[in-house]
Amino acid sequence: MPTRARTQYRCSECGADHAKWSGRCDVCGEWNTIAEERDGSRTSRKRAGGGAGKSGRASGADANTPFTGAPARLATVADTATERIATGLSEFDFALGGGIVPGSLILVGGEPGIGKSTVLLQVAAALEAAGRPTLYVSGEESPVQVKLRADRIGSSALDVPLLAETDVATIMDVAAAARPALLIVDSIQTVYSADLEGAPGNVGQVRECAAQLMRFAKESGVAIALIGHVTKGGGIAGPKTLEHIVDTVLYFEGDSTLEHRVLRATKNRFGSVDEIGVFRMTAEGLEGVGNPSALFLSDRNAAHASGSAVTALVEGSRPVLVEVQGLAAKSGYGTSQRVATGVDGKRMAMLLAVLERRAALPTSALDVFVNVVGGARVHEPAGDLAIAAALASSVHDRILDPRHVFIGEVGLGGELRPVTQLERRLAEAARMGMTTAFVPERGAPRGVGALAVRPMKAIGDVFAAVGA
Ligand code: TYD
Ligand code: MG
């Protein structure tokens, strides 16, 4: 294996290697992202492995330690993946699928200011309060800044050991000695490996440090949470490959001007994806929101207008009611506008075409806006009917009953198609005090508690039933 360092070019967006420099990465299509990089990762990985052995990090190799170089029969591998540390921050545990798996590497991504440092300091505080040691490494903020945050969060946050360090080898040495249940690295863009040339934050450094930390996590059983900043494009700054290295990717979403935040698992080797944890940012840190439907539907009845419809989505394993708003207004100039927030633009275009052809609802001369309230997202077809109902309601300026819920995929023929997990959606609607659910005919149950279920064949039937 060649260990000689060589010059190569790498895209800072997707991490693809190129033989020569060019203005545009032909892998991801981004411009001005290719930079020269001295690749010493092969050599450094070797050195890091050797160093780990000397400092005792690679000791204790047996069938249950990964990367031992010796095969082991699957039957002899201890089933440690089911063991989880509940942090006590229930929404965080929920997003992870029940808690932190020892030895796992978790990436927490999000825009600056969204609350990544806050949530992880709270997780550390909760673990300390439960008698589990933690280590918070800050390369981003000074100890004083972290202390100010800890002061806001509360007493046990002040018990969290803080290390201001950016050298990954030192971080691992300290962690190897301290053996915390959770090591937090804030952020992966600030740490560097001395084995590698290049400034912290460049693709090679980020990738190499993450790979070394992954190895350390697996060998030591210390779970590690990496904080990663998200670029304008929405990816975690530096390489997309970081997402491939880690076990779990959590994205912190939400408008930083709004108080609530959604923590969403987009990758999870130990659980299902698309589980969400919902928080509210308060003056004392993040507070879990145990009842997301209430949050997304809040303020709803205060100013009820036309163009509003509620649907029931399934976020991971949890049903959530969200409000979809539609607004159709006469276009001021030439081409009409189509703006979708929280809804896929292509999906909206399709629904507009279906409304025009199958429900005699022409919108081509109208500006059309669709918005999902509270920063929630409608990412499954089950929300189609609510989008269509909100738009029809706006076009005709007829208010829909706020206690009606609309669930169903809309086909190109205007027909309503069945959705998954209908019972659970209906149960949530009933729990939230909805009175009537409009659902696809096929597979519709009779009713759930006080909730009346109205099976429907096509969108036209729904509009006729509600007078939209
Ligand atoms: P922070 O965790 O620093 O974000 P990130 O690490 O993702 O960049 O949190 C940023 C915002 O949260 C900041 O604008 C201040 C606010 N905040 C509160 O409103 N209450 C709090 O208790 C704390 C700690 C922060
Ligand atoms: Mg931060």
Side-chain angles (χ1 to χ4, degrees):
M1 189 196 281
T3 52
R4 165 179 66 90
R6 66 197 157 87
T7 305
Q8 60 175 28
Y9 298 88
R10 191 171 282 164
C11 170
S12 63
E13 194 62 29
C14 67
D17 292 332
H18 299 273
K20 59 180 178 20
W21 188 88
S22 78
R24 181 168 184 259
C25 173
D26 54 19
V27 177
C28 68
E30 285 293 315
W31 290 90
N32 291 325
T33 53
I34 295 181
E36 185 183 322
E37 196 148 283
R38 286 216 145 242
D39 185 10
S41 54
R42 285 200 176 124
T43 10
S44 67
R45 208 161 291 153
K46 269 208 161 142
R47 261 185 270 147
K54 262 176 268 147
S55 60
R57 285 201 297 271
S59 61
D62 57 39
N64 298 323
T65 329
F67 316 144
T68 55
R73 255 186 227 294
L74 287 172
T76 67
V77 176
D79 190 7
T80 50
T82 48
E83 183 193 322
R84 287 175 189 273
I85 304 167
T87 64
L89 212 69
S90 57
E91 292 294 308
F92 186 83
D93 290 344
F94 202 88
L96 277 179
I100 297 171
V101 175
S104 65
L105 186 62
I106 304 161
L107 178 65
V108 179
E111 287 172 19
I114 202 79
K116 302 179 295 296
S117 303
T118 305
V119 77
L120 286 169
L121 189 59
Q122 283 182 250
V123 165
L127 288 172
E128 287 287 341
R132 294 193 186 262
T134 61
L135 178 60
Y136 194 107
V137 177
S138 179
E140 194 121 305
E141 294 168 305
S142 69
V144 179
Q145 286 172 302
V146 182
K147 178 161 192 295
L148 287 175
R149 184 179 291 118
D151 282 336
R152 295 177 71 164
I153 290 170
S155 56
S156 57
L158 294 166
D159 296 333
V160 175
L162 179 78
L163 173 69
E165 180 58 64
T166 53
D167 182 346
V168 72
T170 312
I171 293 170
M172 291 190 293
D173 281 337
V174 174
R179 293 246 156 205
L182 179 67
L183 166 67
I184 295 155
V185 179
D186 187 359
S187 66
I188 186 65
Q189 276 98 5
T190 58
V191 296
Y192 73 97
S193 165
D195 298 329
L196 219 64
E197 282 180 37
N202 85 15
V203 188
Q205 284 286 2
V206 166
R207 192 150 72 169
E208 175 62 17
C209 291
Q212 288 192 27
L213 289 165
M214 179 65 159
R215 222 186 138 82
F216 174 69
K218 296 293 172 247
E219 286 169 356
S220 64
V222 172
I224 304 178
L226 302 178
I227 290 178
H229 295 295
V230 163
T231 55
K232 293 186 289 306
I236 290 190
K240 280 246 165 54
T241 48
L242 199 52
E243 298 186 4
H244 301 301
I245 295 172
V246 302
D247 294 311
T248 303
V249 179
L250 297 177
Y251 270 102
F252 223 163
E253 301 171 350
D255 193 332
S256 50
T257 56
L258 292 175
E259 63 174 16
H260 70 268
R261 307 277 187 273
V262 173
L263 193 62
R264 187 184 297 274
T266 58
K267 167 181 177 178
N268 196 350
R269 287 190 180 139
F270 307 109
S272 68
V273 291
D274 282 326
E275 289 291 1
I276 61 167
V278 184
F279 296 92
R280 182 183 292 124
M281 185 61 99
T282 71
E284 290 93 38
L286 291 153
E287 189 185 285
V289 175
N291 187 357
S293 294
L295 179 74
F296 292 129
L297 296 186
S298 61
D299 306 329
R300 185 144 184 277
N301 297 327
H304 197 62
S306 66
S308 160
V310 172
T311 190
L313 303 175
V314 174
E315 295 281 1
S317 60
R318 179 152 65 166
V320 181
L321 297 196
V322 300
E323 177 188 354
V324 180
Q325 294 181 336
L327 181 66
K330 222 176 226 125
S331 295
Y333 316 90
T335 38
S336 44
Q337 291 194 68
R338 300 274 178 268
V339 183
T341 312
V343 169
D344 178 40
K346 290 204 186 80
R347 198 83 199 165
M348 174 172 109
M350 184 215 86
L351 288 169
L352 288 173
V354 171
L355 286 173
E356 177 141 8
R357 287 293 303 276
R358 312 290 177 194
L361 201 78
T363 51
S364 46
L366 302 174
D367 284 340
V368 177
F369 304 90
V370 170
N371 176 44
V372 185
V373 175
R377 290 194 312 197
V378 176
H379 50 76
E380 44 166 356
D384 286 355
L385 184 56
I387 299 171
L391 287 170
S393 159
S394 175
V395 170
H396 294 138
D397 197 18
R398 290 202 198 109
I399 298 174
L400 298 173
D401 187 321
R403 305 249 163 252
H404 285 181
V405 57
F406 300 85
I407 304 166
E409 178 179 347
V410 174
L412 290 182
E415 80 280 14
L416 285 192
R417 309 176 66 89
V419 302
T420 57
Q421 309 192 46
L422 183 59
E423 263 87 8
R424 305 191 43 223
R425 298 174 203 263
L426 293 172
E428 178 70 2
R431 194 180 72 80
M432 292 305 295
M434 294 293 177
T435 56
T436 308
F438 294 91
V439 302
E441 194 176 48
R442 188 139 62 85
R446 275 163 181 260
V448 179
L451 179 78
V453 173
R454 308 264 315 257
M456 298 278 147
K457 264 199 176 63
I459 43 171
D461 304 338
V462 179
F463 295 166
V466 300

